[in-house]
Amino acid sequence: MKVINIGESNSVLNTFIAEIRDVHIQKDSLRFRANLERVGAVFAYEISKTLEYSLKDVTTPLGVASVSTFDTPLVICAILRAGLPLQNGMLGVFDHAESAFLSTFRKAGKGDYFKVHADYCTCPSLEGKTLIIADPMLATGASMESALKKLEEEGGEAKTFHIVCPVASRYAVDQLCQKLGDEYTLWVAAIDEELTSHNYIIPGLGDAGDLAFGGKR
């Protein structure tokens, strides 16, 4: 698996990441969602550089112009519910992409043990397409492994995979690098070194779903 950390280069992306981490700015759910959408748009632009392109003729009011545009069929999957704003930002760039939605959750066991389940899933056929998975945070990598398995069961085997997780733990990155092949690319903006025994990323940003859409019972 290839790992691309676009937060290592100075750009406006780092401002958006700083704001979604900021405990004071996080109090504004609208701004938090807007920042996740802007982050999604930045990642979509970077992913667009990896797609397949061909020249096409476009008729203008005064003639014909040749323009190189991408041909890669895309499916963008949001991991519910936190991935929705991130997906929406990418759809604003890849406006012809298809959409998929997947719900994953942790089932607690004894002590710090938990098992990840992939529940609700809806997606188009993934055969021969490029799948982009949107999830704001990557803690252990277990949820992403479960998501990939469920998506393959429901939609078939995609040709290439882009996993977009703006904030990831070092542990999760290492785990996925060991388990996923060359057809996978992980896109991040920050890799945090600490993961607690309860699988919280430190410094992280908190619960992205709650920050975007409010708390839950």
Side-chain angles (χ1 to χ4, degrees):
M1 183 183 74
K2 186 176 183 180
V3 179
I4 300 178
N5 185 351
I6 60 177
E8 291 179 327
S9 300
N10 289 331
S11 76
V12 70
L13 171 69
N14 290 337
T15 298
F16 305 151
I17 297 298
E19 291 197 357
I20 65 172
R21 285 190 191 258
D22 191 303
V23 67
H24 302 292
I25 297 176
Q26 287 179 349
K27 295 176 182 178
D28 185 343
S29 294
L30 176 60
R31 188 169 174 181
F32 186 84
R33 293 194 302 273
N35 276 323
L36 275 182
E37 289 187 10
R38 295 197 289 183
V39 167
V42 174
F43 276 103
Y45 172 75
E46 294 296 331
I47 290 172
S48 75
K49 299 175 184 178
T50 72
L51 305 180
E52 297 175 355
Y53 284 73
S54 66
L55 279 174
K56 302 174 183 65
D57 289 336
V58 178
T59 302
T60 79
L62 300 176
V64 177
S66 292
V67 183
S68 183
T69 62
F70 75 88
D71 305 306
T72 307
L74 300 175
V75 177
I76 305 176
C77 177
I79 303 299
L80 301 175
R81 57 186 171 148
L84 288 170
L86 197 60
Q87 180 199 45
N88 198 45
M90 288 191 280
L91 287 171
V93 176
F94 296 132
D95 49 314
H96 296 297
E98 297 176 279
S99 294
F101 304 90
L102 174 63
S103 174
T104 63
F105 65 96
R106 295 178 179 180
K107 187 174 182 179
K110 293 182 179 180
D112 294 329
Y113 171 78
F114 68 90
K115 187 174 182 180
V116 175
H117 295 265
D119 192 9
Y120 170 82
C121 180
T122 178
C123 71
S125 170
L126 301 176
E127 297 288 345
K129 300 174 183 177
T130 290
L131 174 64
I132 304 173
I133 302 178
D135 196 4
M137 301 183 72
L138 189 65
T140 67
S143 294
M144 189 56 62
E145 289 183 65
S146 180
L148 290 168
K149 182 179 179 180
K150 183 69 172 179
L151 287 165
E152 182 178 355
E153 291 173 356
E154 296 292 330
E157 183 69 27
K159 181 179 179 181
T160 54
F161 303 80
H162 296 278
I163 302 170
V164 176
C165 295
V167 178
S169 75
R170 173 64 62 186
Y171 175 86
V173 173
D174 292 344
Q175 287 292 108
L176 291 182
C177 281
Q178 293 176 18
K179 297 179 180 181
L180 300 181
D182 293 339
E183 67 272 28
Y184 293 85
T185 301
L186 172 63
W187 298 81
V188 299
I191 299 177
D192 291 349
E193 297 297 330
E194 184 178 351
L195 188 68
T196 72
S197 62
H198 290 90
N199 298 311
Y200 295 127
I201 304 173
I202 304 296
L205 58 84
D207 189 309
D210 287 355
L211 292 168
F213 300 109
K216 53 188 178 292
R217 296 180 62 183

